[in-house]
Amino acid sequence: MKPTRVRYGVVGFALSLAILAYVQRVAISQAAGPISADLGLDKVEMGLIFGAFGLSYALFEIPMGLLGDKLGVRRVLAQIVILWSFFTALTGAAWNLTSMWIIRFLFGAGEAGCFPNLTRMLTQWLPRGERVKAQALMWASTRWGAAVTPPLVLVGITLFGWRWAFVIFGLMGVVWALFFLSRFKERPQDNPKVNEAELALLAESQALVTQEHGGWLQLLLKPQALLLMVQYFCWSYVWYFFVTWMPTYLGEAWGQSAAETAGLSVLPLFMGGAGSLVSGMIPLRVPRRLVAIGAFIAVGSLLLIIPQATNVGVAIALLAAISFSGDLSVPISWNTCVEMGKRYTATMGASMNMFANFSGFLAPVVGGMILADATKSWNFMLYVMAGVAFFGAFCWLFIKVPEPDPEPDLVVAPAL
């Protein structure tokens, strides 16, 4: 009997939510100008608002990952998508620094657990080799979702103003959640469209997400797990520049208009998606740890070169190369979470993502402080990011990555 392909519809759900999550997350970076002008915010205050998302996202990651491992991803994902979409829409109602900070903090709490639970969903619905490729596709989708956001937000602000643009983005999440609840089943065996051959194909994956190897806290305190979390912090520290300060950098350092900034911001984010996709296509015989080390070294080196750029085209090309290089490590990191986490896949992923979003809080706040210091500049911010990237390469020297076995190529079908 030929296996059915119901699992590819699950991949469709993962990809569409990944895009939606990043559209809603990145929108505020392009809207920073009108928001600052409307609410009377300076760079330090805007940095605090950028950081509010990362702080709450980090704090709520492990609880949401534990909920996904305990209650199942269907219930948890539907609830958090509706929750974060509500606060996305509520962003348009902010009237000062405090209200905006609180709304962004609660928005981050809503998005916490999204990708750890998507990782668990893909783990239990895909055989191992297909999961590696699906993770690469999912993270490529996040970057491409972020890439289309600047022009999308610019159109929304032009037509409706920044307040109503956030309301529209919030409604998109509610539509996704309702469709997901009506079509997705937690386990393959609960879906009547899955035949016996597809169930047999997924038997190993089902065993993986039920395999016990000690408690979740014991898992998270292992040196290998801690190193995995720290290296993800390092790349996220750099990556958050693209979705927070980059539009401001292009405007101030290179004199670009809002429209020019929106157009230029697309390339680095698009190339990040390409990096994730290429990561999933690298032959399995190539050690994943070496790919990650090379990616971090490239990021640090390119950041040191940017201050020598002679025009905005060169600067954007270097930023695009940084985004591509760094995102080579992202699917590797998430698949390593699965191999380490097993029964606690969502919890392991949540813990790694928690570290990433502590950097999401720290990086924009530190950036705002650097820019507020008259003795420092954008170049100083880039040098700090380079140092963090080199430390990420150092961490990967000691991480052992379980290498996946070859599986049939993944063919992605439309969502159910």
Side-chain angles (χ1 to χ4, degrees):
M1 182 183 298
K2 190 174 182 179
T4 49
R5 297 186 174 187
V6 177
R7 63 193 185 279
Y8 297 147
V10 175
V11 175
F13 277 126
L15 299 186
S16 59
L17 184 58
I19 293 170
L20 176 65
Y22 269 71
V23 167
Q24 293 178 325
R25 181 185 306 191
V26 175
I28 196 168
S29 67
Q30 189 62 37
I35 289 174
S36 298
D38 200 12
L39 304 184
L41 305 175
D42 60 25
K43 284 187 173 63
V44 173
E45 291 170 330
M46 203 64 215
L48 289 171
I49 288 172
F50 286 150
F53 168 86
L55 178 61
S56 61
Y57 197 109
L59 292 174
F60 285 88
E61 278 281 318
I62 291 180
M64 290 300 183
L66 286 169
L67 279 177
D69 285 329
K70 182 177 181 179
L71 303 179
V73 298
R74 182 178 183 272
R75 178 176 173 182
V76 173
L77 278 176
Q79 289 177 349
I80 64 176
V81 171
I82 291 173
L83 181 63
W84 91 51
S85 296
F86 170 77
F87 288 111
T88 298
L90 197 61
T91 301
W95 63 92
N96 59 15
L97 169 64
T98 301
S99 62
M100 180 63 86
W101 194 94
I102 292 172
I103 290 169
R104 293 301 295 179
F105 182 89
L106 294 174
F107 167 69
E111 277 216 358
C114 173
F115 289 99
N117 280 287
L118 283 180
T119 295
R120 181 180 175 88
M121 183 175 80
L122 292 176
T123 300
Q124 62 195 31
W125 268 94
L126 294 174
R128 180 177 291 177
E130 292 186 356
R131 185 186 72 234
V132 172
K133 295 178 176 65
Q135 281 282 358
L137 281 170
M138 183 177 74
W139 286 102
S141 297
T142 66
R143 291 353 187 196
W144 291 335
V148 302
T149 300
L152 191 64
V153 173
L154 183 62
V155 171
I157 292 173
T158 302
L159 294 177
F160 311 109
W162 69 269
R163 295 182 183 276
W164 282 105
F166 278 97
V167 173
I168 294 170
F169 291 144
L171 290 174
M172 292 165 60
V174 175
V175 172
W176 185 94
L178 294 176
F179 191 68
F180 177 73
L181 282 172
S182 69
R183 303 301 295 271
F184 176 74
K185 300 296 183 183
E186 182 71 30
R187 303 182 304 166
Q189 55 265 43
D190 294 334
N191 192 317
K193 296 182 180 179
V194 177
N195 67 8
E196 292 297 325
E198 189 171 25
L199 284 176
L201 190 64
L202 302 177
E204 182 182 354
S205 300
Q206 292 295 296
L208 180 64
V209 295
T210 58
Q211 183 178 345
E212 294 278 359
H213 59 133
W216 65 270
L217 186 57
Q218 179 183 349
L219 165 68
L220 301 184
L221 293 178
K222 290 182 177 179
Q224 289 284 303
L226 292 172
L227 284 170
L228 187 67
M229 297 175 203
V230 173
Q231 66 80 31
Y232 206 57
F233 172 98
C234 293
W235 168 232
S236 295
Y237 189 95
V238 176
W239 187 83
Y240 264 94
F241 174 81
F242 295 105
V243 294
T244 56
W245 286 115
M246 184 171 67
T248 308
Y249 166 72
L250 294 173
E252 293 190 357
W254 297 103
Q256 302 299 293
S257 67
E260 290 168 333
T261 295
L264 290 170
S265 297
V266 170
L267 183 60
L269 295 168
F270 176 83
M271 290 304 296
S276 293
L277 197 60
V278 168
S279 179
M281 297 169 62
I282 294 173
L284 295 176
R285 63 180 178 272
V286 179
R288 285 338 194 223
R289 184 166 66 97
L290 295 183
V291 175
I293 292 171
F296 273 99
I297 291 174
V299 168
S301 301
L302 290 166
L303 282 166
L304 294 177
I305 296 173
I306 289 181
Q308 313 307 317
T310 55
N311 58 64
V312 69
V314 173
I316 279 293
L318 290 169
L319 287 170
I322 289 166
S323 183
F324 176 89
S325 301
D327 271 356
L328 288 171
S329 71
V330 173
I332 296 170
S333 298
W334 282 92
N335 281 296
T336 305
C337 275
V338 174
E339 301 295 339
M340 286 187 184
K342 298 182 172 64
R343 164 69 176 81
Y344 296 107
T345 288
T347 305
M348 182 69 232
S351 302
M352 185 180 75
N353 218 25
M354 177 186 71
F355 271 65
N357 285 282
F358 276 134
S359 73
F361 165 71
L362 187 63
V365 172
V366 170
M369 292 178 177
I370 289 173
L371 297 174
D373 188 336
T375 65
K376 296 183 174 64
S377 65
W378 287 103
N379 288 347
F380 186 83
M381 182 190 293
L382 296 171
Y383 294 145
V384 171
M385 291 159 57
V388 174
F390 286 129
F391 188 74
F394 177 78
C395 291
W396 272 106
L397 292 173
F398 306 100
I399 298 174
K400 296 178 181 178
V401 182
E403 300 296 335
D405 298 325
E407 293 278 0
D409 290 340
L410 174 65
V411 179
V412 180
L416 289 173

